[in-house]
């Protein structure tokens, strides 16, 4: 077992309060850790590095349970690595969150009766910076509440000067390598946010809509098409059918009349069309549908835009100026009046894309935008996982990753916003296009102007693992802490963020991936497994639970539910249970201090220890090994559960209780046990510290006199094992457990004393008789002792005198009544299960229920008969 990390003399003279009060402890402790620089990372250190970045929360955000969960896991990893002697960097920072932040400030302006256009671009951006300074970043204070051990002096913001330089640098490089280009294509457009959004920022949900089948053309040249967006028919430039569809071969290459427009459009043959779906014919609107856009390119069709950025109809005619939904109803009515509506289905439930920021229905729209050519970048990102340079944990998540990176479309990176990294491209008066790097002079002169768009927020956050370390400069921090050791993040942003970081890291850092391991976790749900949402009424503010139960309680509950890649249910009762665990740790340590537990000096030789001492040290070393193995496999739930049961069940409920008789007896055995108890608590507190840092800091420093458990040495498995002692104490536990069960069956109160004779001679239990008597409340046998119940357990015999303690006759009568009821239940269940006619007709769940009743009856009969056998005869 390791020595106390600070080698300072123990000072367990400070008495612990009778109760643990998290609110009085947590804030001051955290500030002390920060002031002493425990969380800072030294790039000049010769220690091995361990680096992890915080998934940068939005500057508009506040701490939610998902943050608390993820931060707890990262903090546990980094605290352990710091204790193991690594130069540990947990990199903090925030994302500028382009759309979200602009929306917040625009809402503030609206309260003043203004829009961003009233201010102008420069003044609006100034206003956003002002808001960021005054109101943004409240999550930083909440992270301190949770205990996040981040290197605050290294905090970065995706719009700060250094990160902006990184963004401009990589844009210029990608542009020069022809991996960034400008083109007119179909994008996802949000009519509310007035910007393009990427595929991954579109959330799909089933909406009630309408499916309208309408007739194009006349007479023998009639084709029926169906759509959920009738308003887009104003922009149709063709009808497409499959080349092999015999129904329409005579029409391919001809023109048919497009209703309401006065235009004629061609019928084209395209392999994309499914002849088995609907009528086998589809309307083609190249400017307002991504699939239609591709058909249009293949057949050289014009693309007619019929809606503006607000989703208002711009096509000439009676529908001009109508909102898209108003136009939809008006167009269907006009088609109905012409007799062109063949069928209408309402409601028609179908999947509809919505802006993930404002929930507005997204509109596919032809638009000139900037794009990243992802093909070579995505291939590199896939290869890095395939060749083992990057591990995804759990491994079964690899398939989802490959499904994404192997099928990536080019990435639209321009956004029609004012807040964000402005695209570093200038346009000249004669059509010139110049991309400007961070050290280049921007073109000057009449007619030159910069692109008005900004970059997608994910563009800058994709640089996070190396831009935060000073890239593009070759800094000492970059050399020391890149690549990151592990990325801990939710499987839900595997595509949003992880793939972007992989592509950019491999590109910018000469093929070195941004991290060695991607550890994916699930999402936090309520105790019934339901997604948390304000609309569901089950959303929880983690600060409320921290106020009520303490940060450690919340952290332990979250960690104990964290199985890799699996969603995490959480309920308030579980947080309360974790608070009780913190109180148990507190009370046990307080007991140890009051009874002289010490960490002073080396452990006594095993030959001087009792079997109980050797047992707990053997178990302690096994737990150290188990916890280490679970950490390496990111099994937070298992390591937390292991520590919970070891601390509560073995240390507090057994070792502490068994030690009480030793302490009372005094002498050398007591002195040895005091040192062993001190060692066990020292190591257990260090093992628990990464998950529950506050209570363990208070207890460990009081117990050991050390400076801080944050910088204490992580425990090592000394290799000490004592199988004989473990078996002996397991036998002792079985005796005590069995007698306790018997006492409970007889209705005895836990503290009720019973005369008993223990026949332990010749067994390993003989030295434990004082502990057995104390734990079981067994009095010595007196002159009038009568063995009314005898329990043979584990080679020993415990005889109890229950006369005067229970009414044997009444107890027999009660048990006999219970036995008769159980036997009747068994008889009825057996009869039904033996009835072939019943079995043939009864549903499976009814038969299963009767089988369960039969099994329960058998158990009850066996239990009651055992209780009757153990009762003394009347």
């Amino acid at each position: 077992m390791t020595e106390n990390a600070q080698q300072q003399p123990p000072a367990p003279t400070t008495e612990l309060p009778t109760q643990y009060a998290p609110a009085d402890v947590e804030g001051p402790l955290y500030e002390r850790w920060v002031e002493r620089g425990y969380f800072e990372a030294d790039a000049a250190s010769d220690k091995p590095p361990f680096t992890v970045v915080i998934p940068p929360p939005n500057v508009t955000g506040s701490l939610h349970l998902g943050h608390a969960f993820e931060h707890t896991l990262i903090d546990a990893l980094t605290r352990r690595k710091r204790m193991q002697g690594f130069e540990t960097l947990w990199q903090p920072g925030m994302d500028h969150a382009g759309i979200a932040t602009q929306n917040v400030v625009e809402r503030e302006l609206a309260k003043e009766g203004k829009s961003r256009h009233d201010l102008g671009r420069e003044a609006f951006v100034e206003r956003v910076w002002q808001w960021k300074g005054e109101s943004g970043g409240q999550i930083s204070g909440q992270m301190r509440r949770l205990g996040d051990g981040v290197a605050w002096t290294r905090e970065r913001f995706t719009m700060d000067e250094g990160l902006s330089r990184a963004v401009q640098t990589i844009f210029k490089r990608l542009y020069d390598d022809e991996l960034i280009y400008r083109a007119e294509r179909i994008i996802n457009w949000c009519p509310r946010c007035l910007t393009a959004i990427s595929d991954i920022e579109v959330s799909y949900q089933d909406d009630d809509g309408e499916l309208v089948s309408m007739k194009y053309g006349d007479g023998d040249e009639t084709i029926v098409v169906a759509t959920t967006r009738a308003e887009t028919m104003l922009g149709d430039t063709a009808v497409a059918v499959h080349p092999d569809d015999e129904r329409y071969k005579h029409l391919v290459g001809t023109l048919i009349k497009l209703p309401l427009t006065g235009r004629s459009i061609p019928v084209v043959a395209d392999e994309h069309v499914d002849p088995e779906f609907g009528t086998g014919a589809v309307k083609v609107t190249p400017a307002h549908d991504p699939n239609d856009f591709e058909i249009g390119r293949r057949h050289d069709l014009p693309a007619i835009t019929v809606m503006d950025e607000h989703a208002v109809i711009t096509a000439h005619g009676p529908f001009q100026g109508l909102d898209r939904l108003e136009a939809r109803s008006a167009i269907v009515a006009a088609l109905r009046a012409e007799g062109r509506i063949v069928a209408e289905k309402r409601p028609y439930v179908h999947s509809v894309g919505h802006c993930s920021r404002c929930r507005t229905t997204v509109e596919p729209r032809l638009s000139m935008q900037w794009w990243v050519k992802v093909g070579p970048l995505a291939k590199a990102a896939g290869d890095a996982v395939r060749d083992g340079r990057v591990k995804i944990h759990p491994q079964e998540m690899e398939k989802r990753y490959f499904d994404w990176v192997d099928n990536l479309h080019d990435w639209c990176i321009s956004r029609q916003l004012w807040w964000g990294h402005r695209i570093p491209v200038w346009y000249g008066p004669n059509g010139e296009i110049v991309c400007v790097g961070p050290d280049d002079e921007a073109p000057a002169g009449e007619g030159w102007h910069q692109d008005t768009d900004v970059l997608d927020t994910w563009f800058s956050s994709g640089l996070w693992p190396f831009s935060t370390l000073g890239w593009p400069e070759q800094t000492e921090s970059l050399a020391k802490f890149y690549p990151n050791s592990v990325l801990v993040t939710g499987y839900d942003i595997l595509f949003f963020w992880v793939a972007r970081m992989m592509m950019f890291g491999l590109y910018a850092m000469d093929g070195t991936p941004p991290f060695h391991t991607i550890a994916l976790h699930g999402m936090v749900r309520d105790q019934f497994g339901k997604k948390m949402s304000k609309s569901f009424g089950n959303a929880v503010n983690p600060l409320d639970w921290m106020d009520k139960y303490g940060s450690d309680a919340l952290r332990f509950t979250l960690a104990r539910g964290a199985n890799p890649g699996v969603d995490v249910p959480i309920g308030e009762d579980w947080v309360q249970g974790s608070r009780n665990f913190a109180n148990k740790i507190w009370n046990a340590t307080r007991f140890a201090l009051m009874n002289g537990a010490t960490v002073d000096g080396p452990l006594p030789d095993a030959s001087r220890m009792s079997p109980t001492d050797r047992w707990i040290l053997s178990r302690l070393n096994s737990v150290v090994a188990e916890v280490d193995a679970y950490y390496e496999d990111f099994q937070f739930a298992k390591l937390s559960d292991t520590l919970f049961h070891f601390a509560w069940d073995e240390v507090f409920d057994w070792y502490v209780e068994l030690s009480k008789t030793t302490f009372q007896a005094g002498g050398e055995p007591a002195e040895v046990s005091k040192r062993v108890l001190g060692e066990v608590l020292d190591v257990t507190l260090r093992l628990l510290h990464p998950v529950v840092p506050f209570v363990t800091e208070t207890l460990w420093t009081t117990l050991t006199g050390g400076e801080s458990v944050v910088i204490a040495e992580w425990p090592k498995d000394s290799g000490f094992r004592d199988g004989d002692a473990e078996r002996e104490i397991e036998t002792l536990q079985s005796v005590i457990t069995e007698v306790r069960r018997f006492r409970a069956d007889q209705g005895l109160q836990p503290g009720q004393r019973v005369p008993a004779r223990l026949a332990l001679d010749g067994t390993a239990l003989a030295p434990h008789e004082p502990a057995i008597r104390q734990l079981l409340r067994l009095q010595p046998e007196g002159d009038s002792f009568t063995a009314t119940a005898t329990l043979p357990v584990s080679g020993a015999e415990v005889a109890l005198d229950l006369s005067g303690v229970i009414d044997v006759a009444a107890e027999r009568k009660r048990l006999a009544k219970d036995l008769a009821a159980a036997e009747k239940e068994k008889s009825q269940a057996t009869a039904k299960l033996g009835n072939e006619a019943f079995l043939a007709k009864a549903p499976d769940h009814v038969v299963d229920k009767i089988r369960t009743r039969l099994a329960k009856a058998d158990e009850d009969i066996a239990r009651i008969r055992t209780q009757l056998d153990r009762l003394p005869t009347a």
Side-chain angles (χ1 to χ4, degrees), residues 174-197:
L174 289 164
Y175 181 87
D176 290 346
D177 286 344
E178 298 183 347
L179 292 173
I180 282 183
Y181 64 94
R182 190 170 184 244
E184 190 176 43
R185 291 188 176 179
I186 291 284
I187 48 90
N188 303 296
W189 181 264
C190 176
R192 159 62 184 80
C193 297
L194 297 180
T195 181
I197 57 177

PDB file of all heavy atoms in Angstrom, residues 174-197:
ATOM      1  N   LEU A 174      -7.242  25.385 -46.522  1.00  0.00           N
ATOM      2  CA  LEU A 174      -8.237  24.555 -47.207  1.00  0.00           C
ATOM      3  C   LEU A 174      -8.620  25.168 -48.554  1.00  0.00           C
ATOM      4  O   LEU A 174      -8.782  24.455 -49.559  1.00  0.00           O
ATOM      5  CB  LEU A 174      -9.483  24.389 -46.333  1.00  0.00           C
ATOM      6  CG  LEU A 174      -9.330  23.506 -45.093  1.00  0.00           C
ATOM      7  CD1 LEU A 174     -10.489  23.738 -44.126  1.00  0.00           C
ATOM      8  CD2 LEU A 174      -9.269  22.023 -45.469  1.00  0.00           C
ATOM      9  N   TYR A 175      -8.733  26.489 -48.578  1.00  0.00           N
ATOM     10  CA  TYR A 175      -9.069  27.174 -49.833  1.00  0.00           C
ATOM     11  C   TYR A 175      -7.961  26.984 -50.865  1.00  0.00           C
ATOM     12  O   TYR A 175      -8.230  26.661 -52.035  1.00  0.00           O
ATOM     13  CB  TYR A 175      -9.293  28.659 -49.537  1.00  0.00           C
ATOM     14  CG  TYR A 175      -9.678  29.479 -50.751  1.00  0.00           C
ATOM     15  CD1 TYR A 175     -11.007  29.589 -51.141  1.00  0.00           C
ATOM     16  CD2 TYR A 175      -8.709  30.156 -51.502  1.00  0.00           C
ATOM     17  CE1 TYR A 175     -11.374  30.346 -52.252  1.00  0.00           C
ATOM     18  CE2 TYR A 175      -9.061  30.908 -52.618  1.00  0.00           C
ATOM     19  CZ  TYR A 175     -10.390  30.999 -52.988  1.00  0.00           C
ATOM     20  OH  TYR A 175     -10.743  31.736 -54.089  1.00  0.00           O
ATOM     21  N   ASP A 176      -6.728  27.173 -50.424  1.00  0.00           N
ATOM     22  CA  ASP A 176      -5.594  27.013 -51.346  1.00  0.00           C
ATOM     23  C   ASP A 176      -5.467  25.577 -51.835  1.00  0.00           C
ATOM     24  O   ASP A 176      -4.983  25.331 -52.950  1.00  0.00           O
ATOM     25  CB  ASP A 176      -4.295  27.456 -50.676  1.00  0.00           C
ATOM     26  CG  ASP A 176      -4.238  28.971 -50.455  1.00  0.00           C
ATOM     27  OD1 ASP A 176      -5.067  29.687 -51.058  1.00  0.00           O
ATOM     28  OD2 ASP A 176      -3.383  29.424 -49.670  1.00  0.00           O
ATOM     29  N   ASP A 177      -5.869  24.611 -51.002  1.00  0.00           N
ATOM     30  CA  ASP A 177      -5.815  23.193 -51.395  1.00  0.00           C
ATOM     31  C   ASP A 177      -7.079  22.758 -52.140  1.00  0.00           C
ATOM     32  O   ASP A 177      -7.286  21.559 -52.366  1.00  0.00           O
ATOM     33  CB  ASP A 177      -5.632  22.312 -50.150  1.00  0.00           C
ATOM     34  CG  ASP A 177      -4.220  22.396 -49.590  1.00  0.00           C
ATOM     35  OD1 ASP A 177      -3.320  22.873 -50.308  1.00  0.00           O
ATOM     36  OD2 ASP A 177      -4.027  21.991 -48.420  1.00  0.00           O
ATOM     37  N   GLU A 178      -7.926  23.750 -52.485  1.00  0.00           N
ATOM     38  CA  GLU A 178      -9.169  23.505 -53.227  1.00  0.00           C
ATOM     39  C   GLU A 178     -10.114  22.564 -52.475  1.00  0.00           C
ATOM     40  O   GLU A 178     -10.862  21.795 -53.062  1.00  0.00           O
ATOM     41  CB  GLU A 178      -8.867  22.961 -54.632  1.00  0.00           C
ATOM     42  CG  GLU A 178      -8.069  23.944 -55.480  1.00  0.00           C
ATOM     43  CD  GLU A 178      -7.832  23.437 -56.891  1.00  0.00           C
ATOM     44  OE1 GLU A 178      -8.067  22.240 -57.150  1.00  0.00           O
ATOM     45  OE2 GLU A 178      -7.405  24.246 -57.744  1.00  0.00           O
ATOM     46  N   LEU A 179     -10.062  22.647 -51.151  1.00  0.00           N
ATOM     47  CA  LEU A 179     -10.987  21.884 -50.315  1.00  0.00           C
ATOM     48  C   LEU A 179     -12.106  22.758 -49.786  1.00  0.00           C
ATOM     49  O   LEU A 179     -13.015  22.271 -49.111  1.00  0.00           O
ATOM     50  CB  LEU A 179     -10.228  21.221 -49.160  1.00  0.00           C
ATOM     51  CG  LEU A 179      -9.258  20.103 -49.579  1.00  0.00           C
ATOM     52  CD1 LEU A 179      -8.424  19.640 -48.384  1.00  0.00           C
ATOM     53  CD2 LEU A 179     -10.008  18.930 -50.193  1.00  0.00           C
ATOM     54  N   ILE A 180     -12.045  24.054 -50.049  1.00  0.00           N
ATOM     55  CA  ILE A 180     -13.157  24.966 -49.789  1.00  0.00           C
ATOM     56  C   ILE A 180     -13.515  25.625 -51.112  1.00  0.00           C
ATOM     57  O   ILE A 180     -12.630  26.077 -51.852  1.00  0.00           O
ATOM     58  CB  ILE A 180     -12.796  26.023 -48.728  1.00  0.00           C
ATOM     59  CG1 ILE A 180     -12.864  25.422 -47.312  1.00  0.00           C
ATOM     60  CG2 ILE A 180     -13.725  27.219 -48.803  1.00  0.00           C
ATOM     61  CD1 ILE A 180     -12.597  26.414 -46.189  1.00  0.00           C
ATOM     62  N   TYR A 181     -14.797  25.668 -51.405  1.00  0.00           N
ATOM     63  CA  TYR A 181     -15.247  26.263 -52.666  1.00  0.00           C
ATOM     64  C   TYR A 181     -16.602  26.933 -52.457  1.00  0.00           C
ATOM     65  O   TYR A 181     -17.282  26.714 -51.453  1.00  0.00           O
ATOM     66  CB  TYR A 181     -15.335  25.201 -53.770  1.00  0.00           C
ATOM     67  CG  TYR A 181     -16.361  24.113 -53.502  1.00  0.00           C
ATOM     68  CD1 TYR A 181     -17.664  24.207 -54.007  1.00  0.00           C
ATOM     69  CD2 TYR A 181     -16.045  22.981 -52.733  1.00  0.00           C
ATOM     70  CE1 TYR A 181     -18.606  23.218 -53.766  1.00  0.00           C
ATOM     71  CE2 TYR A 181     -16.983  21.989 -52.488  1.00  0.00           C
ATOM     72  CZ  TYR A 181     -18.266  22.115 -52.999  1.00  0.00           C
ATOM     73  OH  TYR A 181     -19.213  21.149 -52.758  1.00  0.00           O
ATOM     74  N   ARG A 182     -17.003  27.738 -53.431  1.00  0.00           N
ATOM     75  CA  ARG A 182     -18.288  28.442 -53.384  1.00  0.00           C
ATOM     76  C   ARG A 182     -19.141  27.944 -54.535  1.00  0.00           C
ATOM     77  O   ARG A 182     -18.684  27.841 -55.669  1.00  0.00           O
ATOM     78  CB  ARG A 182     -18.068  29.948 -53.496  1.00  0.00           C
ATOM     79  CG  ARG A 182     -19.304  30.805 -53.212  1.00  0.00           C
ATOM     80  CD  ARG A 182     -18.885  32.264 -53.119  1.00  0.00           C
ATOM     81  NE  ARG A 182     -19.996  33.139 -52.748  1.00  0.00           N
ATOM     82  CZ  ARG A 182     -20.489  34.095 -53.526  1.00  0.00           C
ATOM     83  NH1 ARG A 182     -19.972  34.316 -54.731  1.00  0.00           N
ATOM     84  NH2 ARG A 182     -21.478  34.855 -53.106  1.00  0.00           N
ATOM     85  N   ALA A 183     -20.399  27.580 -54.211  1.00  0.00           N
ATOM     86  CA  ALA A 183     -21.266  27.038 -55.256  1.00  0.00           C
ATOM     87  C   ALA A 183     -22.722  27.238 -54.872  1.00  0.00           C
ATOM     88  O   ALA A 183     -23.062  27.371 -53.691  1.00  0.00           O
ATOM     89  CB  ALA A 183     -20.978  25.550 -55.467  1.00  0.00           C
ATOM     90  N   GLU A 184     -23.580  27.247 -55.888  1.00  0.00           N
ATOM     91  CA  GLU A 184     -25.015  27.350 -55.682  1.00  0.00           C
ATOM     92  C   GLU A 184     -25.598  25.943 -55.603  1.00  0.00           C
ATOM     93  O   GLU A 184     -25.532  25.179 -56.574  1.00  0.00           O
ATOM     94  CB  GLU A 184     -25.665  28.136 -56.819  1.00  0.00           C
ATOM     95  CG  GLU A 184     -27.119  28.494 -56.547  1.00  0.00           C
ATOM     96  CD  GLU A 184     -27.720  29.353 -57.633  1.00  0.00           C
ATOM     97  OE1 GLU A 184     -27.475  29.062 -58.821  1.00  0.00           O
ATOM     98  OE2 GLU A 184     -28.437  30.319 -57.304  1.00  0.00           O
ATOM     99  N   ARG A 185     -26.127  25.630 -54.465  1.00  0.00           N
ATOM    100  CA  ARG A 185     -26.695  24.304 -54.245  1.00  0.00           C
ATOM    101  C   ARG A 185     -27.889  24.414 -53.297  1.00  0.00           C
ATOM    102  O   ARG A 185     -28.123  25.447 -52.684  1.00  0.00           O
ATOM    103  CB  ARG A 185     -25.657  23.354 -53.628  1.00  0.00           C
ATOM    104  CG  ARG A 185     -24.529  22.977 -54.580  1.00  0.00           C
ATOM    105  CD  ARG A 185     -23.680  21.898 -53.976  1.00  0.00           C
ATOM    106  NE  ARG A 185     -22.652  21.441 -54.894  1.00  0.00           N
ATOM    107  CZ  ARG A 185     -21.756  20.514 -54.601  1.00  0.00           C
ATOM    108  NH1 ARG A 185     -21.760  19.959 -53.403  1.00  0.00           N
ATOM    109  NH2 ARG A 185     -20.857  20.139 -55.489  1.00  0.00           N
ATOM    110  N   ILE A 186     -28.595  23.281 -53.172  1.00  0.00           N
ATOM    111  CA  ILE A 186     -29.706  23.230 -52.219  1.00  0.00           C
ATOM    112  C   ILE A 186     -29.148  23.140 -50.802  1.00  0.00           C
ATOM    113  O   ILE A 186     -28.271  22.318 -50.506  1.00  0.00           O
ATOM    114  CB  ILE A 186     -30.599  22.006 -52.492  1.00  0.00           C
ATOM    115  CG1 ILE A 186     -31.359  22.183 -53.803  1.00  0.00           C
ATOM    116  CG2 ILE A 186     -31.577  21.778 -51.342  1.00  0.00           C
ATOM    117  CD1 ILE A 186     -32.522  23.138 -53.730  1.00  0.00           C
ATOM    118  N   ILE A 187     -29.661  24.002 -49.945  1.00  0.00           N
ATOM    119  CA  ILE A 187     -29.266  23.973 -48.531  1.00  0.00           C
ATOM    120  C   ILE A 187     -30.528  23.932 -47.668  1.00  0.00           C
ATOM    121  O   ILE A 187     -31.640  24.137 -48.154  1.00  0.00           O
ATOM    122  CB  ILE A 187     -28.384  25.193 -48.153  1.00  0.00           C
ATOM    123  CG1 ILE A 187     -29.014  26.510 -48.668  1.00  0.00           C
ATOM    124  CG2 ILE A 187     -27.000  25.040 -48.733  1.00  0.00           C
ATOM    125  CD1 ILE A 187     -29.951  27.181 -47.745  1.00  0.00           C
ATOM    126  N   ASN A 188     -30.337  23.663 -46.392  1.00  0.00           N
ATOM    127  CA  ASN A 188     -31.427  23.769 -45.417  1.00  0.00           C
ATOM    128  C   ASN A 188     -31.501  25.222 -44.965  1.00  0.00           C
ATOM    129  O   ASN A 188     -30.513  25.765 -44.455  1.00  0.00           O
ATOM    130  CB  ASN A 188     -31.156  22.876 -44.204  1.00  0.00           C
ATOM    131  CG  ASN A 188     -30.958  21.428 -44.577  1.00  0.00           C
ATOM    132  OD1 ASN A 188     -31.865  20.783 -45.078  1.00  0.00           O
ATOM    133  ND2 ASN A 188     -29.763  20.896 -44.329  1.00  0.00           N
ATOM    134  N   TRP A 189     -32.646  25.831 -45.154  1.00  0.00           N
ATOM    135  CA  TRP A 189     -32.789  27.255 -44.820  1.00  0.00           C
ATOM    136  C   TRP A 189     -33.808  27.415 -43.702  1.00  0.00           C
ATOM    137  O   TRP A 189     -34.899  26.847 -43.746  1.00  0.00           O
ATOM    138  CB  TRP A 189     -33.247  28.034 -46.052  1.00  0.00           C
ATOM    139  CG  TRP A 189     -33.381  29.502 -45.790  1.00  0.00           C
ATOM    140  CD1 TRP A 189     -34.511  30.181 -45.455  1.00  0.00           C
ATOM    141  CD2 TRP A 189     -32.328  30.471 -45.830  1.00  0.00           C
ATOM    142  NE1 TRP A 189     -34.248  31.516 -45.287  1.00  0.00           N
ATOM    143  CE2 TRP A 189     -32.904  31.732 -45.505  1.00  0.00           C
ATOM    144  CE3 TRP A 189     -30.965  30.410 -46.098  1.00  0.00           C
ATOM    145  CZ2 TRP A 189     -32.170  32.897 -45.451  1.00  0.00           C
ATOM    146  CZ3 TRP A 189     -30.220  31.589 -46.045  1.00  0.00           C
ATOM    147  CH2 TRP A 189     -30.806  32.810 -45.721  1.00  0.00           C
ATOM    148  N   CYS A 190     -33.423  28.198 -42.691  1.00  0.00           N
ATOM    149  CA  CYS A 190     -34.363  28.509 -41.609  1.00  0.00           C
ATOM    150  C   CYS A 190     -34.966  29.882 -41.864  1.00  0.00           C
ATOM    151  O   CYS A 190     -34.254  30.893 -41.785  1.00  0.00           O
ATOM    152  CB  CYS A 190     -33.674  28.489 -40.249  1.00  0.00           C
ATOM    153  SG  CYS A 190     -34.795  28.973 -38.906  1.00  0.00           S
ATOM    154  N   PRO A 191     -36.277  29.944 -42.151  1.00  0.00           N
ATOM    155  CA  PRO A 191     -36.915  31.241 -42.401  1.00  0.00           C
ATOM    156  C   PRO A 191     -37.003  32.127 -41.159  1.00  0.00           C
ATOM    157  O   PRO A 191     -37.275  33.320 -41.277  1.00  0.00           O
ATOM    158  CB  PRO A 191     -38.319  30.854 -42.892  1.00  0.00           C
ATOM    159  CG  PRO A 191     -38.225  29.419 -43.302  1.00  0.00           C
ATOM    160  CD  PRO A 191     -37.200  28.819 -42.391  1.00  0.00           C
ATOM    161  N   ARG A 192     -36.803  31.540 -39.988  1.00  0.00           N
ATOM    162  CA  ARG A 192     -36.821  32.337 -38.758  1.00  0.00           C
ATOM    163  C   ARG A 192     -35.438  32.905 -38.458  1.00  0.00           C
ATOM    164  O   ARG A 192     -35.270  34.094 -38.194  1.00  0.00           O
ATOM    165  CB  ARG A 192     -37.314  31.461 -37.595  1.00  0.00           C
ATOM    166  CG  ARG A 192     -36.935  31.938 -36.194  1.00  0.00           C
ATOM    167  CD  ARG A 192     -37.528  33.314 -35.859  1.00  0.00           C
ATOM    168  NE  ARG A 192     -37.075  33.772 -34.558  1.00  0.00           N
ATOM    169  CZ  ARG A 192     -35.899  34.325 -34.315  1.00  0.00           C
ATOM    170  NH1 ARG A 192     -35.024  34.485 -35.289  1.00  0.00           N
ATOM    171  NH2 ARG A 192     -35.580  34.742 -33.093  1.00  0.00           N
ATOM    172  N   CYS A 193     -34.409  32.051 -38.495  1.00  0.00           N
ATOM    173  CA  CYS A 193     -33.042  32.504 -38.205  1.00  0.00           C
ATOM    174  C   CYS A 193     -32.406  33.186 -39.417  1.00  0.00           C
ATOM    175  O   CYS A 193     -31.351  33.818 -39.288  1.00  0.00           O
ATOM    176  CB  CYS A 193     -32.179  31.329 -37.763  1.00  0.00           C
ATOM    177  SG  CYS A 193     -32.726  30.540 -36.231  1.00  0.00           S
ATOM    178  N   LEU A 194     -33.039  33.014 -40.586  1.00  0.00           N
ATOM    179  CA  LEU A 194     -32.585  33.634 -41.829  1.00  0.00           C
ATOM    180  C   LEU A 194     -31.156  33.258 -42.165  1.00  0.00           C
ATOM    181  O   LEU A 194     -30.302  34.099 -42.476  1.00  0.00           O
ATOM    182  CB  LEU A 194     -32.738  35.164 -41.755  1.00  0.00           C
ATOM    183  CG  LEU A 194     -34.178  35.673 -41.609  1.00  0.00           C
ATOM    184  CD1 LEU A 194     -34.212  37.191 -41.538  1.00  0.00           C
ATOM    185  CD2 LEU A 194     -35.046  35.171 -42.760  1.00  0.00           C
ATOM    186  N   THR A 195     -30.874  31.959 -42.064  1.00  0.00           N
ATOM    187  CA  THR A 195     -29.542  31.466 -42.401  1.00  0.00           C
ATOM    188  C   THR A 195     -29.623  30.027 -42.860  1.00  0.00           C
ATOM    189  O   THR A 195     -30.589  29.312 -42.553  1.00  0.00           O
ATOM    190  CB  THR A 195     -28.596  31.560 -41.184  1.00  0.00           C
ATOM    191  OG1 THR A 195     -27.287  31.088 -41.575  1.00  0.00           O
ATOM    192  CG2 THR A 195     -29.076  30.716 -40.027  1.00  0.00           C
ATOM    193  N   ALA A 196     -28.584  29.644 -43.587  1.00  0.00           N
ATOM    194  CA  ALA A 196     -28.419  28.233 -43.914  1.00  0.00           C
ATOM    195  C   ALA A 196     -28.036  27.488 -42.644  1.00  0.00           C
ATOM    196  O   ALA A 196     -27.370  28.034 -41.756  1.00  0.00           O
ATOM    197  CB  ALA A 196     -27.332  28.057 -44.969  1.00  0.00           C
ATOM    198  N   ILE A 197     -28.451  26.238 -42.548  1.00  0.00           N
ATOM    199  CA  ILE A 197     -27.996  25.368 -41.470  1.00  0.00           C
ATOM    200  C   ILE A 197     -27.603  24.030 -42.079  1.00  0.00           C
ATOM    201  O   ILE A 197     -28.124  23.634 -43.126  1.00  0.00           O
ATOM    202  CB  ILE A 197     -29.063  25.185 -40.361  1.00  0.00           C
ATOM    203  CG1 ILE A 197     -30.362  24.627 -40.938  1.00  0.00           C
ATOM    204  CG2 ILE A 197     -29.315  26.489 -39.640  1.00  0.00           C
ATOM    205  CD1 ILE A 197     -31.427  24.347 -39.882  1.00  0.00           C
TER     206      ILE A 197
END
